[in-house]
Amino acid sequence: MTRHEDIAPLRTFILKVANRCNIDCDYCYVFNSKDQSSRHLPARMSLEVARAAARRIGEHATANGLRDIHVVLHGGEPLLAGPQHMADLLSTVLEALPPTTDTRFELQTNGTLLTDAWLDLFERYGVAVGVSLDGPPAANDRHRLTHTGRSSAASAVRGIELLRSRPHLFAGLLAVVDLANDPVEVHDYLASFAPPVIDFNLPHGTHDDPPHRDDPSVPEYGLWMSLVYDAWLARPEYQHTVRMLEDIVALSSGVRGSVETLGLAPPTSVVIESNGTIEGVDTLRSVEEGASWLGLDLFSTPFDEAMRHPKLLHRHDSRAALAEKCQSCSLVEVCGGGYLPHRFSAGRGYRNPSVYCADLEHLIRHIQDSLRQHGWNAPAPASPPP
């Protein structure tokens, strides 16, 4: 198998180990969006699929000389796979991967099912754990309720406190922005758990189905995140990273960011469904039915072939795939035109500015102005290709 020099190899493999969830977040792109296919997939990934995934990952890592890879255990709620099945999955994956490749495991959970037994298992296999929580109970429970409409906050906090007893396993917290919540209160509440990382996601929206705004003429999400940035800087004792904000700082300085929601670097992640199908970024399920489908599976397609699928190659087109407005924008190296799902419209596909264009511009300029006040000199923006 030849190495593809012109396409960045895949490095992050998102395994959908469970395709059910014990809570019912109303913004969930897996179960409460336009694409409902996950409801009809196997409830959990079989060992046969896990073994095939590991073989393909190892094959890809060897062909592309990858010394390390990132395997994310995802769902639904991945803990619904059960401790014994999860242990079998992890053992199966590790046995099938080449010993020359260093594998970093991470799991994203709502935290409500965490126990000491789970943490013992994660200790054994070196799995870092991230927890989703949108803020204090009232903020969290705007969207993150159980299937019977009850609060999930107390159970999630109990899981986080349990995880804090083993800080080396604590990967961080993930929150979805809601304009109804106070940004400083949300940030400081999440920071009180001393996570190494806080991630903020913007709610999924498209030009056909835009995110809620109280005043569409105001960059409300950019203002919200700017207040988070100010709160983050206000307390020198804070040791955590706020990934979106730190990425903007890095990209503004000409350094590659860490997530595919910002910047022009080609994404290097792929999703492996519980039935063994290979998919593009799964947040595209918020766009339309089938937006993430590739028509490929692990049993017939190696990753070196899958990454040449037109839907994945589109993500590598960088600046050329963006709307004309974005291609000529001085901030494009930082915002990257916005996250792919947020660019979509039925008429123009993904060749639109992000629905968060004005918000990203406000936030980036706010951060860059703050950096300048501390003596930072912005590098000259890269010239667009002729």
Side-chain angles (χ1 to χ4, degrees), residues 63-317:
N64 292 276
L66 303 181
R67 295 182 179 178
D68 55 85
I69 57 168
H70 185 199
V71 174
V72 181
L73 308 170
H74 211 268
E77 171 48 53
L79 299 190
L80 288 177
Q84 185 56 59
H85 190 68
M86 183 72 78
D88 292 342
L89 280 171
L90 288 163
S91 177
T92 296
V93 169
L94 284 172
E95 286 174 3
L97 286 172
T100 53
T101 301
D102 182 32
T103 304
R104 177 166 58 96
F105 285 110
E106 187 171 342
L107 179 141
Q108 188 67 32
T109 175
N110 60 43
T112 62
L113 301 176
L114 281 171
T115 62
D116 276 317
W118 272 114
L119 296 185
D120 289 343
L121 187 154
F122 298 145
E123 289 268 15
R124 197 180 323 144
Y125 290 96
V127 180
V129 181
V131 180
S132 298
L133 185 73
D134 285 352
N140 184 74
D141 291 341
R142 291 185 191 279
H143 303 283
R144 302 181 63 81
L145 298 173
T146 69
H147 288 278
T148 58
R150 296 177 181 273
S151 171
S152 68
S155 296
V157 168
R158 180 199 54 77
I160 293 168
E161 292 292 1
L162 195 62
L163 186 56
R164 289 183 68 190
S165 69
R166 310 195 202 190
H168 53 289
L169 296 180
F170 194 6
L173 297 174
L174 170 64
V176 175
V177 174
D178 187 327
L179 298 177
N181 297 329
D182 180 270
V184 176
E185 180 185 32
V186 168
H187 170 268
D188 289 353
Y189 180 78
L190 298 178
S192 72
F193 295 105
V197 178
I198 299 175
D199 271 343
F200 286 96
N201 282 350
L202 297 172
H204 290 303
T206 68
H207 289 275
D208 303 319
D209 186 14
H212 165 78
R213 295 179 187 273
D214 297 318
D215 183 349
S217 68
V218 175
E220 294 171 308
Y221 290 93
L223 288 164
W224 201 98
M225 285 304 304
S226 293
L227 290 171
V228 169
Y229 176 80
D230 293 342
W232 179 42
L233 290 190
R235 303 263 296 272
E237 67 268 26
Y238 283 151
Q239 299 297 308
H240 62 272
T241 291
V242 180
R243 201 185 313 263
M244 179 195 294
L245 306 180
E246 197 158 277
D247 267 24
I248 289 174
V249 172
L251 289 161
S252 295
S253 302
V255 179
R256 179 172 175 166
S258 62
V259 295
E260 65 179 67
T261 54
L262 293 165
L264 290 172
T268 57
S269 62
V270 71
V271 173
I272 300 146
E273 265 299 350
S274 61
N275 64 347
T277 56
I278 302 170
E279 296 196 7
V281 56
D282 57 344
T283 50
L284 286 173
R285 291 180 177 180
S286 65
V287 168
E288 61 180 356
E289 183 83 17
S292 65
W293 302 349
L294 303 179
L296 306 176
D297 67 77
L298 291 166
F299 302 101
S300 59
T301 310
F303 285 124
D304 272 32
E305 180 181 331
M307 69 185 189
R308 289 186 171 275
H309 188 283
K311 283 188 176 181
L312 296 189
L313 283 178
H314 172 83
R315 301 193 297 167
H316 288 260
D317 288 340

